[in-house]
Amino acid sequence: GEPFYRGAVVTPPVGQGDGYLVRTADRLVTVSPRAVLPACETTLHGEERDCADNTALAYLSDATLLHNLRTRFERREVYTYTGAMLLAVNPFVALDHLYSADNMARYRGRPLGAEPPHVYALADRAYRLHRVEKRDQSIVVSGESGAGKTE
């Protein structure tokens, strides 16, 4: 099952101990007031709005962060920033359009956030901080076995 469900509040709690009546994609459920969290924003046309940087989410919680990652993943945007950290969700398919010399050049000398999130941006930033500002850098790559870290 899903750890979080997106839904719309139909009715708020009426009395003490009551829950919200919430409509999910396929049913009506009663939900404890502590379990109802604000959701990610939508566009004027009701489409899901995602953020290239999780710190730009209007509401930051486990649910909104995971929802943002999923929304971006479904759009084949596998990289998302959280400040200066880069989160990558392995698509388990080749995304050749992301990795080319032209794309690498696009990120060269640009600050984080000037272009869509990418491992090239993080690598360029670390390189520049090391070469120009003489600051030691490290990049931590973490993930489960078989998650695609060596790619």
Side-chain angles (χ1 to χ4, degrees):
E2 297 291 319
F4 304 99
Y5 294 94
R6 186 170 178 88
V9 172
V10 177
T11 59
V14 177
Q16 185 116 359
D18 289 343
Y20 287 90
L21 184 60
V22 175
R23 180 179 309 283
T24 67
D26 58 353
R27 64 182 188 269
L28 283 172
V29 293
T30 302
V31 180
S32 159
R34 291 184 303 174
V36 175
L37 303 167
C40 297
E41 301 171 16
T42 57
T43 66
L44 293 175
H45 305 296
E47 299 164 348
E48 293 288 330
R49 180 180 167 272
D50 66 79
C51 296
D53 188 330
N54 285 321
T55 62
L57 290 169
Y59 305 102
L60 187 58
S61 67
D62 292 349
T64 56
L65 188 137
L66 290 171
H67 182 75
N68 190 53
L69 290 175
R70 172 178 285 154
T71 301
R72 292 182 55 74
F73 179 81
E74 288 169 353
R75 294 181 182 159
R76 299 179 67 92
E77 296 171 355
V78 296
Y79 294 120
T80 305
Y81 290 125
T82 300
M85 285 193 319
L86 181 69
L87 303 178
V89 180
N90 188 343
F92 295 102
V93 296
L95 298 177
D96 296 330
H97 70 282
L98 289 177
Y99 310 103
S100 67
D102 288 341
N103 207 21
M104 189 183 302
R106 175 180 167 190
Y107 288 89
R108 194 167 293 128
R110 306 278 301 185
L112 286 183
E115 298 290 339
H118 200 288
V119 69
Y120 291 160
L122 205 62
D124 183 73
R125 179 177 184 266
Y127 179 78
R128 283 184 292 113
L129 287 173
H130 178 70
R131 297 288 297 178
V132 176
E133 298 184 21
K134 308 289 189 230
R135 292 174 52 190
D136 291 340
Q137 300 294 303
S138 63
I139 295 177
V140 176
V141 179
S142 176
E144 293 182 13
S145 176
K149 297 178 296 298
T150 55
E151 278 74 32

